[in-house]
Amino acid sequence: MNNKLNLLYENCMICPRKCRVDRTKGERGFCKASGTIAAARAALHFWEEPCISGETGSGAVFFSGCNMGCVFCQNYEIAHDEVKKEISVDRLSDIFLELQDKKAANINLVTPTHFVPSIIKALEIAKDKGLKIPVVYNTSAYENVDTIKMLDGLVDIYLPDCKYYNSELSFKYSIARDYFEKALPAIEEMVRQTGAPTFYYPHVHPGISGKEACQKSLNADEYNDIVTGEDSSLDDVTQTEKIDQDSTNYDISGQNESSDYSGPLMKKGTIVRHLLLPGHLDDSMNVVNRIHNRFGNDIYISIMNQYTPMPHSAAFPELTRTVNVADYDKLVDYAIDIGVEYAFIQGDETDKSSFIPAFDYSGL
């Protein structure tokens, strides 16, 4: 790792916590991370938004440690640095290439903030060795703008949360009173980098299909028309284009029994996620309203109802139940009423612990 990137660990101000600890000498800040990459899993992951997971899965690397520490976190054991395996920058770059070889639709960096300097170097090495699938930065959005700027040109898709609008709520559950005031400019920088969302044509896989096919793009309106069944004209075209697959006879259909999505994959763009918490519909409406007013159709909003009560949130009685179905329906209706056109919504049965992967060091 070059010296400039390494210095960021020596007086760590990578995230808004600005702990100023020397992680290279074993000092730990809020995220509990050292200066060495730590992760808990690297594997194909099928539980992201459909255009991220696709049929072959997203190549997710789950990093250990977290700069948020949400009391309701579904990945609590890795977020609190309880489950981890240390890996080198070179090993991380190899993992990216191994996931591409497994036909991952993209590289999905899950909770990456505190390891950005190392991730930058690993991505540069992997891209020099042939990494060509999109890179997804999957984050809480509690980020410094300068840190996000360092990723310009390396990340294709940003997948930030926008967890809270109310500062009392963000302090209560994440000890981050300034959450929204830090998250909004960070998301602005993400959108500046990616521009409006674009997608590959149906049946095009960036790690499998030919160069000519991968260069073509759909805009968000075309994507929406295809996935809602309003336009099937492109489907037949790209089915036959399926496409000089670089001497590979790999068929991307039917690779995962748990996925019935066969629509286009995202190529570039930002999807802002918001998880409805039990009893906090008003704050969720504020989040959706402010995100839509700021970004309009330059982003997708993913409105999630998958909150799952976890044992470690028992100290907060309001968080010991699942989301009220009527509240979620009200939130979706509200989004439609204020003019949100580009959105992902979830159906029933998403509040299940089965959506939490096994943090067993697979792929590391």
Side-chain angles (χ1 to χ4, degrees):
M1 189 186 311
N2 67 47
N3 290 333
K4 183 178 179 181
L5 290 174
N6 197 48
L7 285 172
L8 295 175
Y9 289 138
E10 293 182 7
N11 182 37
C12 191
M13 296 192 292
I14 292 171
C15 85
R17 302 283 183 190
K18 296 186 176 179
C19 298
R20 292 184 176 273
V21 297
D22 187 345
R23 291 166 54 186
T24 67
K25 293 183 177 178
E27 296 177 7
R28 306 298 173 97
F30 188 94
C31 70
K32 301 182 181 180
S34 72
T36 302
I37 305 164
R41 180 180 175 87
L44 298 177
H45 188 67
F46 295 91
W47 301 323
E48 308 289 21
E49 284 72 10
C51 63
I52 301 296
S53 294
E55 292 183 85
T56 60
S58 178
V61 181
F62 291 86
F63 295 97
S64 300
C66 179
N67 72 328
M68 279 296 286
C70 302
V71 298
F72 52 83
C73 182
Q74 293 184 6
N75 297 342
Y76 187 89
E77 59 185 350
I78 64 167
H80 286 255
D81 207 43
E82 295 173 4
V83 176
K84 64 181 179 180
K85 180 178 180 180
E86 292 189 339
I87 56 176
S88 67
V89 168
D90 285 336
R91 175 60 193 142
L92 182 59
S93 69
D94 287 342
I95 288 170
F96 295 156
L97 294 168
E98 288 165 11
L99 289 168
Q100 179 171 267
D101 289 343
K102 292 177 181 177
K103 315 306 178 187
N106 42 61
I107 298 299
N108 186 350
L109 308 169
V110 184
T111 320
T113 306
H114 45 296
F115 291 122
V116 161
S118 304
I119 289 169
I120 288 173
K121 188 61 178 175
L123 284 172
E124 290 174 343
I125 294 170
K127 286 176 181 284
D128 285 345
K129 292 182 177 180
L131 182 69
K132 60 182 179 178
I133 58 179
V135 174
V136 180
Y137 190 83
N138 189 337
T139 171
S140 69
Y142 195 46
E143 301 271 7
N144 285 334
V145 171
D146 286 344
T147 301
I148 299 303
K149 285 182 177 178
M150 293 168 61
L151 297 163
D152 195 359
L154 291 172
V155 170
D156 304 282
I157 299 166
Y158 283 99
L159 202 56
D161 295 329
C162 191
K163 294 178 182 288
Y164 319 98
Y165 174 71
N166 184 287
S167 60
E168 295 302 317
L169 205 60
S170 62
F171 181 75
K172 181 179 182 180
Y173 295 149
S174 301
I175 320 177
R177 200 180 298 276
D178 59 349
Y179 174 79
F180 188 80
E181 67 181 74
K182 296 298 184 182
L184 188 64
I187 296 171
E188 288 174 342
E189 172 60 20
M190 297 173 196
V191 176
R192 184 198 69 78
Q193 290 180 24
T194 66
T198 59
F199 301 82
Y200 294 100
Y201 272 44
H203 312 297
V204 172
H205 188 295
I208 302 167
S209 303
K211 183 177 179 181
E212 182 178 349
C214 290
Q215 288 176 338
K216 299 178 180 179
S217 298
L218 301 170
N219 63 34
D221 285 332
E222 292 168 326
Y223 170 80
N224 285 358
D225 287 346
I226 290 170
V227 297
T228 59
E230 294 183 15
D231 184 359
S232 60
S233 61
L234 289 171
D235 195 66
D236 291 337
V237 173
T238 54
Q239 186 72 265
T240 60
E241 233 181 26
K242 190 183 314 180
I243 309 184
D244 56 292
Q245 293 180 352
D246 298 336
S247 303
T248 300
N249 192 28
Y250 181 79
D251 182 354
I252 68 173
S253 63
Q255 293 300 309
N256 174 41
E257 293 180 0
S258 66
S259 173
D260 58 3
Y261 176 79
S262 58
L265 293 167
M266 180 168 264
K267 187 176 191 177
K268 204 169 182 67
T270 301
I271 301 173
V272 179
R273 289 171 157 175
H274 176 70
L275 175 67
L276 175 63
L277 297 176
H280 293 296
L281 175 61
D282 287 346
D283 193 63
S284 290
M285 287 180 169
N286 277 326
V287 169
V288 171
N289 179 278
R290 282 158 176 78
I291 290 296
H292 178 63
N293 283 342
R294 174 61 188 85
F295 299 108
N297 288 338
D298 287 337
I299 64 164
Y300 272 78
I301 298 178
S302 183
I303 303 174
M304 303 187 296
N305 65 357
Q306 68 187 49
Y307 175 79
T308 303
M310 304 298 286
H312 47 265
S313 58
F316 301 86
E318 70 275 22
L319 298 180
T320 59
R321 60 182 177 84
T322 58
V323 166
N324 184 289
V325 173
D327 281 353
Y328 182 71
D329 290 343
K330 288 177 183 177
L331 181 58
V332 172
D333 288 343
Y334 175 75
I336 294 170
D337 289 343
I338 65 173
V340 174
E341 296 180 11
Y342 300 162
F344 295 97
I345 61 174
Q346 291 183 317
D348 298 331
E349 300 297 316
T350 56
D351 55 333
K352 302 295 184 184
S353 60
S354 61
F355 284 85
I356 304 171
F359 298 121
D360 55 5
Y361 312 122
S362 295
L364 300 178

